[in-house]
Amino acid sequence: MTGATVVGSAANRSGAAWPAPMGAGSLVLAFASTPAERAVLDDWLRQARAGGAQVEVLDSSARLEQALAECRENPWLVPVRVAWLPRERDGIRAVRPSDLLSLTNPHSPGARLQARILRSEPDRCRVVPAEPARLSDLRARFEAARSEESFPTFVVRQARLALERAERSVLGTQYKVPRLVAEEIEASARFNDLVAALATELGRPQTEVAAQASAYLEEMVASHSRLAIDAWEQFGRWISRAYEVEVDPVAVEELRRLSLRMPLVFLPSHRSYLDPAVLRSALHRQGFAPNHVLGGLNVSFWPIGPVARRSGVVFIRRSTRDDPVYKLVLREYIGYLVRKRFNLEWYMEGGRTRTGKLRPPRYGLLSYLVQAYRAGGIEDVLLIPTSIVYDQLYEVGALAAEEHGAQKTPESLGWLVGYARAQGRGFGKARVGFGEPLSLREALGGEEREHAVERIGIEVSHRINRATPITETALVALALLGADDRALTLHEVRATLDPLLEYVRLRSLPMLGDLGIARAEGVRQALDALGRHGVARSYGGGTEPVWSIAPDRHIEAAFYRNSILHFFLNRAIAELVLVHVDETQPPDPVHEGWHEALRIRDLLKFEFFFAGRAEFGRELRAEFATLEPDWELRASEPGAAWSALTHTRLRLAPLLLSSFLEAYLVVAELLADRDPGVAITENEFLEQCLGVAHQYRLQRRIQSTESISRELFGTALRLAGNRRLVEPGGEELAARRRSFADQVRTLVARLHRIRSI
């Protein structure tokens, strides 16, 4: 038998002990591909025989097949091979850039280099025997697996898998990777039964469907190499070098403890191309094996694609709706990985956020995971909501340009070079946080539930939001954006921030330490950081310095602000409710206020993640308690609602909701002005929205530049579609469109009224 490399060497007198009982007969499956490896194994086997081991060595496929056919006893089968390690530097064995530049693979040196290593660096060589197995046990497992392969092939595959497990004790858990995945899946009776059933359903020959499935599996499966894992880790650290990565070691240790019992599926927020590199680096340093990262084929270009695939990245097609064979293969691959307890990672938003807040989740991969769990063989899977936030982010500028209508730059080698160069500047910190894990078994319950996948996706999004800390950059951006293009002095910025910080402390919201912006010097540093990256500008030629958002950088500032918007959303809704009560003077203000809150919640349901009605009601009551403690008792008093607003130091609705509601107003008014009988083409309509929004901003009909956003217009159009306002119709449709525009126009007017205070 040939191929492979392993771990162990008698040359350094630290060879592994003989793993099987000394007095029992043993068949040794020796994996050696060079004279040096065979010499190391021969030396180790001589020592084993001298110690009393009864050994017969099987070093070729023919000898194995013959031994299995002729064996009348029940010997132990002992897989063994040699592994080569990188040099130890500063107590760490890992591939370094210098190794890559020398065009050598420290994990798999050539035959000549192996001989040199044995002479000068014997500590880099180990013999690693895998856990032995009785021949009878292997036969029983083979029969239970109903495998399509021959018994000798099954034995070799099991030996290689056992050796992979054994090597982790030497290499470390970072190298826990699956081997022979495609072979195992294709050899399983389950997979072949599913392919046969699908062929029957499609009315196609089974051999044709099987060949297509095999090709998809080959395209999809991540093939791991230790060199690629180390190289990808080095690349990830280099491309994210502009950041100091922070992660809570206690939280990571708890995740490691949980991963010993069940597979983890990391579901991070997606703000940057750097997200996978930052998360990989944070977990790798804590001893985690590479996650299997499911990503789009658009970033599989050379040279990134080949290296990424060999380090755990699974490139999948963006759309599989019309290909049942591809969907079957992807579902089975995901199921295989979680059954083998390998950790997964994907980004539910389907792409980077353009606005800074979470996008609605996409459910395709999550539904495949649920189907794999329900198919059996998986005790449980833990979903890990993961938050990744950055002090500053280079690509926000490109995202902002796309929101104003610019074309997205396609990913390519040239694009990557430019992107990597831009990361050379200091951008502060990147922080990785983990929300409360969600048990898939508990989330699904013991029976089929309607919309189970959607509910799980929303719950994960809630937990990501709760794990996202409030940053200084986000709060300072919020303060500057609320100034309506007016420059603020340091004192004015602090006057906006002080009640915000008081609210954060009152509600015990997650924040980074004590937030330096509680002090004047901290505010100045945060303003200077925004200025260094061009988001803010300062003017110091007068009596004192003033700061404002730089021209055409409002969407970038809003990106940072929106990362914390969810913490203050209910407060903003409560303020709008108070204005509604003051304007309408209803007989039962509390009852009417609740219904108005539900109407606003329904208007923004595609923009934000809201709790269920009961929980939303409790949250809203808590907001009124902080805003006006005796609100329910005083609600019927004339002027009580407006008094509550004018006497509070904190009014958030204009700061938070102007850009969203003004973008919705553009969409609503354009719909109302349209001939209801004419069909709407989405791209053409969104282009018109961009043009009209720029006009409205010049006319000051809208106050927030960040409302000129293609994504916000798209979400508003999606809401309109949900309300059946997009498809062609008659006069009744025109009336409902006008009503929609009136609702949004009224809310925008209320924001102006609150701002006037």
Side-chain angles (χ1 to χ4, degrees):
M1 299 170 58
T2 60
T5 43
V6 185
V7 190
S9 167
N12 63 0
R13 305 302 179 194
S14 62
W18 179 250
M22 278 296 182
S26 300
L27 300 177
V28 173
L29 280 67
F31 291 76
S33 58
T34 66
E37 291 181 354
R38 284 193 292 272
V40 169
L41 290 183
D42 287 344
D43 191 7
W44 182 75
L45 289 167
R46 277 194 297 272
Q47 294 182 37
R49 289 190 180 100
Q54 299 178 21
V55 175
E56 178 184 352
V57 180
L58 308 176
D59 56 3
S60 70
S61 299
R63 291 194 62 185
L64 170 64
E65 190 167 352
Q66 181 182 357
L68 294 179
E70 296 176 353
C71 191
R72 296 294 177 264
E73 297 179 357
N74 189 26
W76 292 93
L77 270 72
V78 181
V80 60
R81 68 185 180 194
V82 175
W84 304 92
L85 309 180
R87 287 192 179 97
E88 184 175 340
R89 305 175 180 96
D90 301 324
I92 298 175
R93 289 190 185 274
V95 174
R96 298 291 180 88
S98 57
D99 298 321
L100 302 177
L101 293 174
S102 67
L103 301 179
T104 61
N105 181 355
H107 291 292
S108 182
R112 291 184 179 180
L113 185 55
Q114 288 177 3
R116 193 185 314 157
I117 289 171
L118 290 176
R119 289 193 303 269
S120 59
E121 301 176 277
D123 63 305
R124 291 181 56 190
C125 180
R126 299 284 188 276
V127 169
V128 173
E131 183 179 354
R134 285 285 196 184
L135 179 58
S136 59
D137 293 338
L138 285 169
R139 287 193 185 278
R141 284 158 56 186
F142 175 70
E143 292 170 3
R146 296 167 52 221
S147 178
E148 300 289 325
E149 61 197 344
S150 68
F151 182 55
T153 303
F154 174 82
V155 170
V156 171
R157 184 161 54 81
Q158 294 301 308
R160 291 180 182 273
L161 294 173
L163 285 167
E164 289 293 327
R165 291 191 293 270
E167 288 181 357
R168 291 177 208 145
S169 64
V170 176
L171 295 173
T173 54
Q174 294 98 324
Y175 298 96
K176 177 188 174 184
V177 295
R179 299 291 188 191
L180 308 174
V181 175
E183 293 89 337
E184 273 209 275
I185 293 175
E186 289 187 282
S188 71
R190 168 191 168 84
F191 184 73
N192 284 279
D193 289 345
L194 289 170
V195 168
L198 181 59
T200 300
E201 179 184 333
L202 298 176
R204 294 170 54 189
Q206 181 176 341
T207 54
E208 180 183 295
V209 174
Q212 186 179 0
S214 179
Y216 284 154
L217 199 58
E218 183 68 24
E219 171 190 304
M220 192 181 301
V221 168
S223 58
H224 291 75
S225 81
R226 297 184 186 106
L227 177 64
I229 290 172
D230 286 337
W232 193 248
E233 167 65 11
Q234 294 289 339
F235 173 74
R237 291 191 181 192
W238 174 73
I239 201 169
S240 58
R241 66 195 181 281
Y243 298 94
E244 177 187 346
V245 178
E246 286 189 354
V247 63
D248 181 358
V250 176
V252 176
E253 182 57 37
E254 174 62 13
L255 291 180
R256 182 180 14 249
R257 185 186 66 80
L258 292 171
S259 70
L260 297 176
R261 296 188 291 110
M262 64 194 77
L264 310 181
V265 174
F266 291 86
L267 299 172
S269 56
H270 199 10
R271 301 179 186 280
S272 168
Y273 286 112
L274 296 177
D275 294 338
V278 167
L279 182 57
R280 166 75 69 93
S281 178
L283 294 176
H284 184 88
R285 286 180 295 171
Q286 302 297 323
F288 273 74
N291 292 338
H292 281 74
V293 183
L294 282 70
L297 277 171
N298 60 304
V299 289
S300 65
F301 54 86
W302 185 90
I304 294 301
V307 179
R309 189 185 299 277
R310 288 171 173 78
S311 63
V313 178
V314 180
F315 292 113
I316 57 177
R317 301 179 181 184
R318 287 289 187 182
S319 177
T320 63
R321 185 175 304 171
D322 300 323
D323 194 337
V325 181
Y326 191 92
K327 290 194 289 186
L328 181 147
V329 172
L330 179 57
R331 184 172 63 246
E332 287 305 297
Y333 182 36
I334 291 174
Y336 171 89
L337 291 172
V338 293
R339 280 193 295 273
K340 297 292 185 179
R341 297 223 319 251
F342 289 101
N343 295 339
L344 304 183
E345 173 189 333
W346 73 77
Y347 295 77
M348 289 198 309
E349 296 166 86
R352 295 167 300 152
T353 173
R354 264 58 179 170
T355 60
K357 63 180 181 59
L358 283 183
R359 301 174 90 178
R362 295 187 178 182
Y363 302 110
L365 290 173
L366 188 58
S367 68
Y368 289 155
L369 178 66
V370 169
Q371 290 168 24
Y373 170 80
R374 285 174 169 161
I378 302 169
E379 181 181 347
D380 198 3
V381 179
L382 279 185
L383 308 181
I384 310 300
T386 305
S387 163
I388 306 175
V389 295
Y390 303 84
D391 282 345
Q392 307 284 334
L393 196 57
Y394 157 72
E395 61 212 78
V396 172
L399 293 173
E402 291 170 25
E403 286 304 280
H404 278 308
Q407 291 297 311
K408 178 178 179 290
T409 303
E411 294 84 357
S412 64
L413 180 59
W415 164 87
L416 177 65
V417 170
Y419 184 85
R421 284 176 176 168
Q423 302 303 319
R425 296 175 290 165
F427 283 91
K429 294 181 178 180
R431 298 169 177 88
V432 180
F434 303 104
E436 181 185 356
L438 178 63
S439 161
L440 187 61
R441 180 181 60 195
E442 294 177 7
L444 290 172
E447 57 187 34
E448 295 278 342
R449 296 184 181 180
E450 189 177 7
H451 305 303
V453 173
E454 289 84 350
R455 289 203 319 276
I456 291 171
I458 296 297
E459 179 58 28
V460 169
S461 298
H462 275 300
R463 297 187 186 200
I464 293 173
N465 271 338
R466 289 198 289 268
T468 302
I470 293 173
T471 66
E472 296 170 347
T473 302
L475 287 174
V476 171
L478 190 157
L480 293 179
L481 285 168
D484 295 334
D485 293 335
R486 184 171 60 88
L488 302 179
T489 65
L490 184 62
H491 174 76
E492 289 172 323
V493 174
R494 292 195 67 194
T496 303
L497 291 175
D498 284 347
L500 273 169
L501 293 172
E502 181 182 342
Y503 179 85
V504 167
R505 287 189 288 267
L506 179 66
R507 287 196 49 203
S508 301
L509 299 178
M511 57 184 180
L512 297 174
D514 295 328
L515 290 178
I517 54 174
R519 303 178 300 277
E521 183 57 31
V523 177
R524 180 68 181 259
Q525 290 174 356
L527 288 166
D528 289 344
L530 284 171
R532 281 195 304 274
H533 297 286
V535 178
R537 64 175 178 176
S538 63
Y539 176 75
T543 58
E544 58 180 318
V546 292
W547 287 265
S548 64
I549 301 298
D552 300 322
R553 306 299 287 270
H554 292 75
I555 286 184
E556 295 171 62
F559 185 96
Y560 299 116
R561 176 201 64 188
N562 291 348
S563 68
I564 62 171
L565 232 169
H566 52 280
F567 289 121
F568 307 103
L569 179 60
N570 288 338
R571 169 61 179 247
I573 291 175
E575 293 171 8
L576 287 172
V577 166
L578 289 175
V579 179
H580 171 73
V581 169
D582 181 71
E583 290 176 348
T584 59
Q585 296 292 313
D588 186 344
V590 173
H591 182 266
E592 174 57 27
W594 166 243
H595 282 283
E596 176 64 8
L598 290 179
R599 287 190 286 269
I600 298 171
R601 175 178 179 264
D602 184 68
L603 183 74
L604 298 174
K605 65 183 178 183
F606 289 117
E607 206 69 66
F608 302 102
F609 299 102
F610 289 99
R613 273 200 175 202
E615 180 62 23
F616 178 65
R618 287 190 290 270
E619 292 172 351
L620 207 60
R621 270 202 167 88
E623 290 298 341
F624 277 112
T626 60
L627 200 156
E628 177 62 72
D630 298 326
W631 163 246
E632 294 197 25
L633 296 176
R634 299 185 56 237
S636 298
E637 297 178 10
W642 190 249
S643 175
L645 277 174
T646 56
H647 285 85
T648 182
R649 296 177 63 208
L650 183 66
R651 288 175 288 274
L652 287 175
L655 297 176
L656 303 183
L657 295 181
S658 289
S659 59
F660 300 96
L661 291 177
E662 289 182 344
Y664 280 38
L665 181 61
V666 171
V667 171
E669 291 192 341
L670 280 178
L671 280 174
D673 291 341
R674 283 245 175 171
D675 182 343
V678 177
I680 290 175
T681 303
E682 181 175 348
N683 285 335
E684 174 268 329
F685 183 80
L686 295 180
E687 285 299 318
Q688 185 181 8
C689 288
L690 284 169
V692 170
H694 280 290
Q695 173 195 323
Y696 281 9
R697 184 71 181 97
L698 291 170
Q699 295 174 305
R700 294 295 186 265
R701 293 177 62 181
I702 59 177
Q703 303 298 315
S704 52
T705 302
E706 64 270 25
S707 65
I708 309 173
S709 163
R710 189 181 183 90
E711 179 141 323
L712 294 185
F713 298 145
T715 306
L717 188 61
R718 184 178 165 211
L719 172 71
N722 179 258
R723 294 187 173 190
R724 297 182 294 109
L725 299 176
V726 174
E727 294 299 320
E731 182 52 40
E732 184 269 341
L733 172 63
R736 287 192 291 110
R737 286 179 175 179
R738 289 192 295 270
S739 177
F740 176 49
D742 287 343
Q743 180 192 12
V744 181
R745 195 178 295 113
T746 298
L747 288 173
V748 170
R750 288 173 185 163
L751 292 178
H752 293 332
R753 189 177 175 203
I754 296 172
R755 186 182 285 111
S756 70
I757 300 175

